[in-house]
Amino acid sequence: MAFDNPTLFNLLLLQGLAAALLMLILVGRHASVAARLAVGFLLLQAGGWCLLASSGGGHERLLLSLSMAAFSLSLSLLWWALRLWLGPQPGRALLILAPLLMPPVYALQFEDSGFRTAWAHAWLTVQLVMLALSLIRPDKALGQQRRQAKAWPNTTPGLDNRRWRALLLAAIVPATVLSLLRGGMGLVDVQMLSPLGPSGINTWLALGLHWTLTCTLLGLVLAWRGETELVLTRLAQTDGLTGLCDARAFAARSVDMISMARRHQEPLALMVLDIDHLSAINASHGLEAGNKALALFGSCVQAQMRLGDLAGRVGGEEFGVLMARCEGQGPQALDKRLREALAQRAKEELGFELNFSAGWAKLRHGDRHVDDLMRRAEIALYEAKHGGRGRLMAEPGLEI
């Protein structure tokens, strides 16, 4: 079957424009930074092909140099999008340097057609290789999320990125091979200098780029959808004012923490905290000030709790902290840290002082659910409030 290379590349231009438009419509105006970078990648790809298609009518040096700049910058934007979706990646300096260094040298050495072809494709190949390495590197965050999900099935699921990573890898590998081949062969075959020329490598390049663009669009849509689903899942389990777990999510996750503590025979404690005089704050300073107080308290709890503990807003002004591997001094240490943090931040950020009362209970042999711990911790909280507020009390009969 014979292919007409100019027609193939004109279709590639239309496909690039359609892909950019579809992605732009899908993600909308309020997309994440990673999704916007993905849209920028597609727009620059389409712009690069537009410049390339226009280069035959004059100003060839300028238009081709700009097209190389667009292609190189688009690959860097895609790398930054992957960095946001997958975490820190190696090669940052190369991806910054490529769109800054490759186009000017390409323009200055434009008369040496063999050099400029090899130079441009060498940089594009390096960028494609860095993208491929980002996609095949083990995802440590995902591995940690899977281990956590296996241990605690009710935790918020992570972003399972295997499908879209495979799609993007299937797109990038052929493009890398074709770019490398064309850059090398262009040094010895003048007919290949223009991608619109009749050479067979140009035909394979056009067909490969059609495949690449299709797989890339599908991969980016899946990546954006996965990111959106993760955000929605987290929002559904999060208290909107404080950013902590809501009462339902707190109860669900506590089941697995209690099971883990029993399985490994480890101590576990529940600490219940209640902001003192919140009704008076609402009456004297307004509901907005009361909401700011709740948000500040939630922020302090999140900052001061240990890694691996679970914190949530379990009532209107009541917070719970489930403390894994916690001995008797754990609640006292957290109580001290919280009071110091509030003393430093409340007066400056709220304009008034903020304090709290707290009670805590330790996991016992007969406890089946967090509600059993909650009842005893709330009894201790009641004693703290009636004993003068602003203090921590342990459950009745607890020997520390």
Side-chain angles (χ1 to χ4, degrees):
M1 180 182 295
F3 292 97
D4 179 62
N5 288 344
T7 302
L8 285 177
F9 280 98
N10 286 334
L11 289 174
L12 189 63
L13 166 61
L14 295 176
Q15 186 182 8
L17 290 171
L21 181 60
L22 286 173
M23 190 72 184
L24 189 60
I25 293 173
L26 281 174
V27 302
R29 295 190 306 170
H30 304 291
S32 66
V33 176
R36 291 179 183 178
L37 289 172
V39 172
F41 159 77
L42 292 171
L43 288 173
L44 282 171
Q45 282 283 313
W49 292 115
C50 284
L51 291 166
L52 193 63
S54 305
S55 62
H59 306 289
E60 186 178 14
R61 181 195 297 261
L62 175 62
L63 293 175
L64 286 178
S65 299
L66 289 175
S67 70
M68 293 302 108
F71 291 139
S72 181
L73 182 57
S74 72
L75 295 178
S76 292
L77 291 186
L78 181 58
W79 183 87
W80 282 102
L82 293 180
R83 189 174 187 271
L84 292 175
W85 279 325
L86 299 174
Q89 304 292 332
R92 177 178 177 180
L94 277 173
L95 272 297
I96 294 175
L97 188 62
L100 297 176
L101 182 60
M102 185 265 277
V105 175
Y106 181 92
L108 290 172
Q109 298 295 323
F110 190 79
E111 300 302 329
D112 188 349
S113 53
F115 173 81
R116 64 178 168 91
T117 300
W119 172 261
H121 281 279
W123 276 105
L124 294 175
T125 301
V126 168
Q127 289 180 270
L128 288 166
V129 168
M130 298 309 299
L131 288 171
L133 290 176
S134 299
L135 292 166
I136 63 177
R137 286 181 73 239
D139 190 345
K140 296 180 180 179
L142 181 59
Q144 183 178 3
Q145 290 165 358
R146 288 175 185 164
R147 290 191 293 272
Q148 181 177 337
K150 186 176 181 181
W152 299 352
N154 289 319
T155 53
T156 302
L159 181 62
D160 190 351
N161 50 41
R162 290 170 295 182
R163 292 182 180 178
W164 64 261
R165 286 173 73 177
L167 273 171
L168 290 182
L169 197 59
I172 288 170
V173 170
T176 305
V177 173
L178 289 168
S179 177
L180 185 62
L181 286 175
R182 190 179 186 281
M185 296 174 69
L187 288 171
V188 296
D189 189 348
V190 179
Q191 289 184 341
M192 281 185 267
L193 296 180
S194 171
L196 305 180
S199 174
I201 188 64
N202 289 337
T203 302
W204 282 108
L205 179 64
L207 294 174
L209 290 176
H210 278 284
W211 165 264
T212 293
L213 193 55
T214 301
C215 290
T216 302
L217 176 61
L218 292 175
L220 293 177
V221 169
L222 284 179
W224 166 74
R225 190 187 73 172
E227 180 189 29
T228 304
E229 288 176 351
L230 180 61
V231 171
L232 292 175
T233 301
R234 286 178 175 169
L235 287 175
Q237 299 183 9
T238 303
D239 174 62
L241 185 61
T242 64
L244 300 176
C245 295
D246 60 17
R248 184 176 180 181
F250 184 84
R253 299 185 198 184
S254 66
V255 173
D256 302 293
M257 290 188 68
I258 292 173
S259 298
M260 291 292 290
R262 291 201 182 283
R263 183 182 307 166
H264 299 287
Q265 297 183 344
E266 295 173 343
L268 183 140
L270 173 66
M271 191 172 174
V272 179
L273 312 99
D274 191 279
I275 298 177
D276 291 334
H277 306 297
L278 185 61
S279 298
I281 292 173
N282 289 331
S284 58
H285 298 281
L287 290 176
E288 184 177 353
N291 288 336
K292 288 182 179 180
L294 286 166
L296 173 63
F297 190 76
S299 173
C300 289
V301 169
Q302 196 165 37
Q304 301 304 323
M305 72 179 191
R306 304 173 308 166
L307 185 66
D309 290 348
L310 174 65
R313 185 182 178 192
V314 297
E317 58 201 68
E318 191 171 278
F319 296 77
V321 181
L322 199 57
M323 307 176 71
R325 301 182 180 90
C326 177
E327 301 293 346
Q329 293 75 23
Q332 297 174 14
L334 177 58
D335 180 82
K336 181 180 178 181
R337 293 196 303 271
L338 273 175
R339 295 189 192 280
E340 290 174 352
L342 284 174
Q344 292 176 0
R345 296 180 57 184
K347 189 70 176 178
E348 179 180 350
E349 297 182 28
L350 300 177
F352 52 85
E353 295 181 354
L354 194 65
N355 207 347
F356 68 95
S357 302
W360 71 279
K362 189 175 181 180
L363 181 67
R364 294 183 179 181
H365 179 70
D367 292 335
R368 294 177 299 176
H369 195 270
V370 71
D371 290 343
D372 298 325
L373 281 153
M374 187 74 71
R375 281 192 291 269
R376 299 198 305 275
E378 287 182 337
I379 291 174
L381 173 63
Y382 179 84
E383 293 296 330
K385 283 189 169 292
H386 283 265
R389 301 179 187 269
R391 62 185 65 191
L392 170 70
M393 296 288 291
E395 64 175 304
L398 181 66
E399 295 182 3
I400 303 175

